[in-house]
């Protein structure tokens, strides 16, 4: 790989709290090593259309505590086409982007892999609230999102108890139940449904609610991953069958915003610095991630082949602890 003198950075896909800390780390680490950091706005679309600028150290002051991404983000269909990809490569050459850091989810990494194949050394940093990228134990934004969901469910629980209601709370996660499982344990939910595990038969859910009532339980909190769906139908069925008033809350985009937690800021800072150090050392085509709680890097092609291991045993834990 040729020596690198400038590094582009972009955020792609859904935003996640902590992306700004990663951008800051990329920019300042690059400057520390005498490299020129180049900001690319609105993900791959900005790369294709030349929406780029030189980042200075002070441009990333006061951004770490903010949610969202100062570079903005997009899901770019044009980039998924061959001409779009070629335009991105030409544009990177034209604007002197020697190496690229992509902060995003696994969809964004497939783009990073394609750029790498066409000769642009690219490093990926996992940024998505879903924590659903198999090669890494952690993705930037997950901790903030589960804490946001936890706060919301704690509040819903207060009112659920007062009214002796069942509340179904739908959390984000795309096709993954990681957010749902962790939040269910942290909030003492009575049930948790995720896409990775077959949905239990409705009668068993009804039995659990009726049994809970007998044990003098004052509410029944169900955490439902968005990938399962069917919240409204489930609520109607529970209400009809048990007589327990049942409400649905979809937490939605609030889980994607807000000031990042310490964990998200620290992980993002470490991974941002690591990405730049790899490129500086002439190493491209890697993804940075967390393994055994430490930052590591892995070949981009190999990483994208790894299958998700789901800790769905934690669902049983949530249920056991909610008696
Ligand atoms: O990947 C993050 C995420 O928030 C998912 O949990 C959700 O399914 C999706 O993005 C929503 O995407 P969009 O911003 O395109 O509506």
């Amino acid at each position: 790989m040729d020596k690198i003198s400038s590094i582009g950075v972009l955020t792609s896909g859904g935003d996640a709290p902590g992306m700004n800390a990663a951008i800051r780390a990329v920019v300042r680490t690059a400057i520390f090593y005498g490299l020129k950091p180049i900001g690319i706005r609105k993900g791959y679309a900005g790369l294709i259309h030349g929406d780029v600028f030189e980042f200075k150290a002070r441009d990333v002051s006061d951004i770490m505590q903010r949610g969202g991404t100062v570079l903005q983000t997009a899901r770019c269909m044009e980039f998924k086409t061959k001409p779009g990809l070629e335009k991105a490569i030409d544009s990177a050459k034209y604007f002197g982007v020697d190496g690229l850091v992509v902060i995003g989810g696994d969809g964004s990494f497939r783009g990073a892999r394609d750029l790498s194949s066409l000769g642009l050394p690219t490093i990926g940093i996992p940024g998505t609230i879903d924590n659903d990228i198999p090669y890494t134990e952690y993705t930037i934004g997950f901790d903030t999102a589960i804490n946001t969901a936890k706060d919301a469910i704690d509040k819903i629980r207060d009112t659920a108890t007062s009214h002796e209601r069942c509340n179904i709370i739908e959390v984000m996660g795309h096709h993954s139940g990681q957010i749902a499982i962790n939040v269910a344990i942290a909030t003492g939910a009575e049930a948790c449904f995720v896409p990775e595990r077959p949905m239990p038969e409705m009668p068993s859910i009804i039995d659990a609610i009726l049994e809970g009532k007998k044990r003098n339980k004052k509410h029944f909190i169900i955490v439902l991953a968005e990938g399962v769906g069917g919240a409204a139908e489930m609520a109607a069925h529970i209400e009809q069958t048990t007589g327990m008033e049942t409400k649905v809350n979809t937490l939605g985009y609030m889980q994607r915003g807000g000031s990042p937690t310490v964990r998200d800021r620290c992980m993002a800072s470490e991974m941002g610095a690591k990405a730049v150090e790899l490129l500086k050392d002439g190493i491209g085509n890697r993804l940075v991630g967390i393994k055994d709680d430490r930052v590591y890097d892995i070949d981009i092609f190999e990483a994208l082949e790894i299958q998700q291991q789901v800790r769905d045993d934690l669902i049983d834990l949530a249920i056991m602890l909610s008696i």
Side-chain angles (χ1 to χ4, degrees):
M1 184 174 127
D2 294 340
K3 204 170 161 349
I4 278 191
S5 59
S6 67
I7 292 181
V9 55
L10 60 83
T11 48
S12 168
D15 62 352
M19 281 184 164
N20 285 330
I23 295 167
R24 173 179 176 271
V26 169
V27 170
R28 295 216 169 144
T29 308
I31 292 171
F32 179 85
Y33 288 115
L35 305 169
K36 182 167 111 180
I38 297 174
I40 301 164
R41 296 188 189 89
K42 299 188 182 168
Y44 291 119
L47 181 58
I48 291 174
H49 299 292
D51 195 352
V52 304
F53 63 98
E54 182 178 343
F55 252 131
K56 303 287 183 200
R58 290 279 73 73
D59 294 338
V60 289
S61 299
D62 297 329
I63 67 167
M64 181 134 76
Q65 73 281 14
R66 286 161 52 191
T69 157
V70 291
L71 284 175
Q72 298 189 280
T73 184
R75 301 190 200 273
C76 178
M77 295 322 281
E78 187 181 0
F79 183 69
K80 292 187 176 157
T81 65
K82 195 159 174 276
L85 191 60
E86 284 164 0
K87 267 197 218 170
I89 290 285
D90 290 346
S91 181
K93 278 194 193 126
Y94 181 81
F95 289 101
V97 175
D98 298 337
L100 179 68
V101 177
V102 171
I103 308 166
D106 58 355
S108 309
F109 290 161
R110 291 178 202 284
R113 176 199 60 197
D114 295 344
L115 289 173
S116 292
S117 302
L118 291 178
L120 177 64
T122 302
I123 305 284
I125 298 178
T128 163
I129 64 165
D130 300 338
N131 202 19
D132 62 345
I133 313 182
Y135 81 89
T136 179
E137 288 162 9
Y138 193 77
T139 61
I140 297 167
F142 178 64
D143 193 55
T144 307
I146 55 178
N147 276 287
T148 300
K150 176 266 296 169
D151 288 346
I153 296 174
D154 284 350
K155 289 176 179 143
I156 292 167
R157 173 192 284 272
D158 290 344
T159 170
T161 308
S162 305
H163 291 266
E164 296 203 13
R165 281 180 181 149
C166 172
N167 277 77
I168 301 173
I169 297 133
E170 188 188 281
V171 296
M172 275 189 165
H174 201 216
H175 299 305
S176 161
Q178 292 280 359
I179 292 178
I181 293 171
N182 284 275
V183 160
I185 292 176
T187 59
E190 276 72 27
C192 174
F193 303 127
V194 297
E196 295 90 343
R197 190 186 249 208
M199 189 69 187
E201 296 296 318
M202 221 36 212
S204 73
I205 301 167
I206 300 300
D207 284 352
I209 294 174
L210 296 174
E211 281 302 313
K213 272 184 154 186
K214 279 190 211 152
R215 291 197 308 276
N216 210 21
K217 279 186 92 78
K218 297 277 184 286
H219 55 245
F220 199 89
I221 303 281
I222 298 175
V223 175
L224 178 72
E226 67 172 349
V228 176
E233 297 75 18
M234 190 189 295
H237 185 76
I238 290 173
E239 195 162 293
Q240 270 165 22
T241 327
T242 65
M244 194 171 195
E245 202 179 353
T246 303
K247 302 285 182 189
V248 174
N249 305 79
T250 302
L251 298 188
Y253 291 96
M254 68 180 294
Q255 294 159 100
R256 288 243 297 257
S259 183
T261 59
V262 170
R263 183 157 164 77
D264 275 329
R265 296 182 199 195
C266 290
M267 290 285 168
S269 301
E270 271 200 73
M271 290 198 275
K274 178 75 177 176
V276 172
E277 282 168 350
L278 287 167
L279 288 171
K280 168 190 77 77
D281 292 340
I283 302 166
N285 316 332
R286 312 281 295 173
L287 297 181
V288 174
I290 305 293
K291 190 177 182 184
D292 299 329
D293 234 15
R294 303 295 295 232
V295 173
Y296 87 118
D297 59 284
I298 176 172
D299 176 78
I300 204 162
F301 294 89
E302 192 188 324
L304 293 177
E305 294 300 315
I306 298 175
Q307 299 298 312
Q308 187 81 323
Q309 303 287 322
V310 181
R311 289 285 317 273
D312 72 349
D313 55 309
L314 295 177
I315 298 177
D316 297 326
L317 176 67
I319 293 166
M320 182 178 81
L321 298 182
S322 74
I323 49 172

